[in-house]
Amino acid sequence: MSTLHHTAFDTHLIGVDPDLRIHVAESVFEGRDGPLLESLKALASRSLRVPAEVPLQPRREYLEQRFTQFVAAQP
């Protein structure tokens, strides 16, 4: 993850569901702030690419827990 994506994930601007789909907070779509914000908007409904090696893949239960936090943080 880049610093931008990591920060957006930590602040619940983007979330990843257990099926590896990326969700973007509605508040991001309300903003008009140039190419960085547009790059976040473009992530909506895309799927996360993960390593082929199972031990390196994100664990579904952790994604589920984190996605629950993302959903709860939305107004």
Side-chain angles (χ1 to χ4, degrees), residues 51-62:
E53 299 86 1
V54 174
L56 299 177
Q57 295 175 0
R59 293 183 57 177
R60 185 177 178 85
E61 60 268 22
Y62 295 155

Side-chain angles (χ1 to χ4, degrees), residues 2-68:
S2 73
T3 301
L4 170 68
H5 298 107
H6 193 274
T7 301
F9 184 76
D10 283 349
T11 58
H12 305 293
L13 294 177
I14 61 173
V16 180
D17 70 25
D19 295 321
L20 303 176
R21 283 187 312 264
I22 301 170
H23 299 260
V24 178
E26 195 61 39
S27 61
V28 172
F29 289 99
E30 296 168 358
R32 305 271 183 256
D33 194 20
L36 289 179
L37 191 59
E38 294 304 316
S39 71
L40 288 181
K41 292 177 187 180
L43 294 174
S45 299
R46 294 187 67 183
S47 292
L48 192 67
R49 292 186 320 204
V50 297
E53 299 86 1
V54 174
L56 299 177
Q57 295 175 0
R59 293 183 57 177
R60 185 177 178 85
E61 60 268 22
Y62 295 155
L63 288 174
E64 186 173 345
Q65 179 183 27
R66 187 73 166 119
F67 188 67
T68 299

